[in-house]
Amino acid sequence: MYLILILLSFLLQDQVPLKPSDEFIFKLDYEFRTKPGGDGKPGGFAAGKLPYAEIRITPTKLSDSEERVRITNNLGHKIYSRRAVVDNEMVIDMGFTDDLKDHISVYAFDIVFFSKKGDESRITLFVEEDGTVLINGEKHGKF
């Protein structure tokens, strides 16, 4: 499956170029949150406070044609769609780090900058099963 994602990434690279790393700022934030568990009945699951991750992406440079930005996750759900603005921080609420590593649901995001004519550039965000966070295929941290 991982090989298929890599091949798909290379195919998409030809269609929509990756946004250069000097045109955006990436920040990984951690905090501890209570994971929803059982209902308090005997045998219910109570996870307590666990590591939770948010990603902050801030474009520092946009081309004249990059008018809008859209973020979708690996499930195909659109989670953000706005006008593209330099220095406008986009927060991606990723989820609990164990769930990200286990690829239970969401573990990848595609941030696409586009114009009225179509896609212009993109940033890919992928969490590997060992917890490595890849931005445009480059390691940018680990859970």
Side-chain angles (χ1 to χ4, degrees):
M1 171 120 177
Y2 185 67
L3 182 60
I4 292 171
L5 288 173
I6 291 173
L7 291 173
L8 183 60
S9 175
F10 284 119
L11 291 174
L12 290 175
Q13 252 182 339
D14 293 336
Q15 296 172 2
V16 182
L18 294 175
K19 191 159 190 62
S21 60
D22 63 347
E23 293 185 5
F24 64 92
I25 297 170
F26 164 81
K27 184 178 179 191
L28 178 60
D29 286 336
Y30 291 105
E31 63 181 34
F32 286 90
R33 291 189 186 178
T34 301
K35 188 169 186 177
D39 51 13
K41 295 179 182 175
F45 174 75
K49 293 201 179 256
L50 297 171
Y52 193 89
E54 287 183 343
I55 300 287
R56 298 174 186 277
I57 303 271
T58 306
T60 57
K61 181 180 179 187
L62 296 170
S63 72
D64 291 338
S65 61
E66 293 175 323
E67 299 171 353
R68 297 197 53 84
V69 60
R70 178 181 53 236
I71 302 174
T72 54
N73 63 28
N74 59 286
L75 301 176
H77 299 136
K78 182 171 52 173
I79 61 169
Y80 185 94
S81 180
R82 303 268 191 294
R83 186 169 63 93
V85 178
V86 170
D87 296 329
N88 183 40
E89 182 179 73
M90 298 173 282
V91 179
I92 301 172
D93 194 14
M94 295 188 66
F96 291 96
T97 58
D98 285 344
D99 294 344
L100 291 165
K101 290 191 284 188
D102 292 341
H103 289 191
I104 289 175
S105 60
V106 176
Y107 55 87
F109 297 86
D110 206 24
I111 302 146
V112 179
F113 295 86
F114 59 98
S115 68
K116 292 176 184 170
K117 297 178 184 177
D119 298 342
E120 297 295 330
S121 65
R122 69 186 177 100
I123 301 168
T124 61
L125 190 150
F126 183 83
V127 178
E128 294 183 322
E129 291 177 342
D130 69 351
T132 301
V133 178
L134 301 176
I135 304 293
N136 288 346
E138 296 178 7
K139 185 177 178 179
H140 279 271
K142 187 172 182 176
F143 302 131

